[in-house]
Amino acid sequence: MDYNILSNLIITDIISAHPLYSEENVRSKQSSRSCWAIIIKYGGETVYTVGNEKFISNINNIIMLPKGLTYEWECTKAGDFFVLNFE
């Protein structure tokens, strides 16, 4: 991915914005994500797995999930997070 695209990113067409909480050891799988999302995990930790790669979402790492992505996630430390879904 060309990261220069993020230097001028303007988010429009917001679908939803939610503050959420996840318990430890909760897991889920998402097939072909319907829209883009930014995940800000400001409490606890979640691990996202895409293929053989793992990405940690916590207070230090904001996650951007592209539309169409298939992935799994596991909450490894319970906590609060914020989800912004957009086109």
Side-chain angles (χ1 to χ4, degrees):
M1 175 181 182
D2 180 6
Y3 294 103
N4 290 325
I5 194 171
L6 300 176
S7 66
N8 294 316
L9 179 66
I10 297 173
I11 295 174
T12 60
D13 297 325
I14 294 173
I15 296 169
S16 62
H18 304 282
L20 299 167
Y21 177 84
S22 185
E23 294 286 341
E24 192 168 322
N25 297 320
V26 172
R27 297 174 182 225
S28 186
K29 182 175 181 176
Q30 175 73 43
S31 296
S32 191
R33 187 170 176 76
S34 63
C35 62
W36 285 79
I38 293 177
I39 312 294
I40 303 171
K41 184 84 173 190
Y42 53 92
E45 185 174 277
T46 297
V47 175
Y48 290 83
T49 304
V50 181
N52 293 327
E53 290 189 80
K54 293 188 183 295
F55 302 93
I56 295 173
S57 176
N58 58 27
I59 192 68
N60 298 311
N61 299 290
I62 294 174
I63 299 287
M64 182 177 286
L65 301 171
K67 183 175 184 174
L69 183 68
T70 295
Y71 59 94
E72 296 178 7
W73 63 265
E74 178 183 5
C75 181
T76 54
K77 294 179 187 169
D80 296 298
F81 62 104
F82 188 83
V83 179
L84 177 67
N85 292 300
F86 63 97
E87 284 293 326

